[in-house]
Amino acid sequence: MPRRGRWPWRPEIHYAPFTAVPLADVARLRNDPALAVSTSGYAFQSHVFLLDFNLSNPHLADLRVRRAIAHAIDRQGLIDTVWYGFGKPAVSPVPSQLTRFHNPDVPRHDYDPARTEALLDEAGLPRGANGMRFTVTHDYLPFGETYRDAGEYIRNNLKKVGIDFVLRGQDYPSWTRRVYTDYAYDIDSNTVAVMMDPEMGLPRLLLSTNHVRGVPTSNNTGYANPEADRVIKALQVEPDAGKRKALFGELQAIAMTDLPILPLSEMRHVTIHSRKLRGLAPAPDAALASLADAWLSA
């Protein structure tokens, strides 16, 4: 809350995790000597921002089209513009901070609009008289303006290569029903908490038998690959750490080859707290941890 009777107002914050203020304000707050800004304490969840492709859509069922969309999006520009630099371009659905499991040697789909144009031409989707090749609807995650802004940024990227990317906003219950029950979407934006062991967060998006109508955070794309299923089932029973790492590496390679989902950014949440606040836990799950040991200095 602002202090009354003073201008400019200064925030009185004790503890505000999970990006409780607009990212546009973080740079200003970082210059306040009374406040500390941190991105630590979130590795336990390891959130990734991504797009889900509805593979029942005739255009999106074509791998060339999914690859074309992947090459059309400037991930670093998205992070710099929408998330004010808080993030890192994702090359895999397992973020790089999870060094025990992350596989950097997967098929890459870096920003390359010329490659997008070639792939769409190859897929038999020429530009029409209006310059557009085809239209898809984008149901952005209804968790505030940032996700709408991300959709607008992606729309501008895709418009340049002839894809009409129509944004559709709605409340969260409507979005959940549309995406996980009715499957009445083309592309949605989403976040996944991969967790410190990706078995907790990743396989549910890729396992074919997890395409279950009406179950949120399941496999809503309709993706089904026997090789992905084999790797996931092996992970469920493999106790050896080295073999599990290899299996996760294989699963990431399969996912980035088939692209049922398109990871865009490794998210960086922000915690703002008073410099008088002491005793915050320096742990991977600090943002979710108890404040039992926290105290305010005089």
Side-chain angles (χ1 to χ4, degrees):
M1 297 293 292
R3 293 174 180 169
R4 298 184 182 276
R6 296 183 59 185
W7 184 261
W9 290 344
R10 292 181 59 198
E12 293 181 348
I13 296 174
H14 288 161
Y15 181 61
F18 282 98
T19 316
V21 301
L23 288 172
D25 293 331
V26 171
R28 174 177 60 83
L29 296 176
R30 182 175 264 158
N31 292 327
D32 190 321
L35 299 176
V37 176
S38 171
T39 58
S40 63
Y42 300 96
F44 176 77
Q45 291 184 300
S46 295
H47 275 109
V48 173
F49 175 70
L50 52 80
L51 301 181
D52 292 317
F53 295 118
N54 188 341
L55 301 183
S56 67
N57 178 292
H59 295 312
L60 301 176
D62 189 327
L63 177 58
R64 293 169 297 185
V65 174
R66 302 197 298 277
R67 289 172 56 201
I69 292 173
H71 284 298
I73 299 173
D74 181 357
R75 293 163 178 75
Q76 188 62 60
L78 173 67
I79 292 166
D80 291 342
T81 304
V82 176
W83 276 282
Y84 291 84
F86 288 97
K88 180 179 179 180
V91 300
S92 159
V94 176
S96 57
Q97 65 184 352
L98 298 180
T99 54
R100 290 172 54 201
F101 302 105
H102 174 70
N103 179 10
D105 300 319
V106 297
R108 299 286 293 260
H109 308 281
D110 297 328
Y111 181 52
D112 187 349
R115 181 61 178 149
T116 294
E117 299 269 12
L119 284 166
L120 293 176
D121 288 341
E122 181 184 326
L125 295 168
R127 289 180 183 265
N130 64 351
M132 295 293 105
R133 299 172 183 270
F134 65 94
T135 299
V136 289
T137 300
H138 175 60
D139 292 283
Y140 57 85
L141 193 64
F143 285 172
E145 294 182 357
T146 300
Y147 294 99
R148 183 200 64 198
D149 293 345
E152 291 178 349
Y153 185 89
I154 295 169
R155 178 177 63 187
N156 290 335
N157 279 181
L158 296 185
K159 183 178 180 180
K160 295 175 183 177
V161 295
I163 299 175
D164 187 17
F165 195 66
V166 179
L167 272 59
R168 178 164 54 195
Q170 60 229 282
D171 58 34
Y172 185 64
S174 299
W175 181 89
T176 301
R177 182 176 61 252
R178 182 185 299 280
V179 170
Y180 291 109
T181 299
D182 299 336
Y183 302 136
Y185 76 100
D186 297 326
I187 300 175
D188 73 54
S189 64
N190 219 326
T191 62
V192 56
V194 180
M195 311 301 283
M196 291 188 70
D197 187 322
E199 189 174 350
M200 301 169 66
L202 179 58
R204 58 189 168 90
L205 306 182
L206 303 173
L207 185 65
S208 64
T209 54
N210 207 37
H211 183 57
V212 182
R213 191 179 297 274
V215 178
T217 72
S218 60
N219 172 0
N220 61 310
T221 65
Y223 176 63
N225 182 337
E227 280 301 296
D229 287 350
R230 175 190 61 79
V231 173
I232 292 170
K233 290 175 182 177
L235 278 166
Q236 292 172 345
V237 297
E238 180 56 63
D240 182 83
K243 293 179 180 179
R244 292 186 78 246
K245 178 179 175 65
L247 287 167
F248 271 118
E250 187 176 354
L251 183 60
Q252 291 167 74
I254 293 171
M256 294 309 295
T257 298
D258 292 349
L259 289 180
I261 59 176
L262 177 59
L264 293 178
S265 68
E266 301 176 6
M267 302 182 73
R268 296 289 183 266
H269 298 294
V270 177
T271 296
I272 300 174
H273 65 85
S274 167
R275 292 191 181 277
K276 295 181 179 181
L277 182 62
R278 312 293 191 200
L280 293 178
D285 63 345
L288 297 171
S290 167
L291 296 176
D293 296 325
W295 53 282
L296 291 171
S297 64

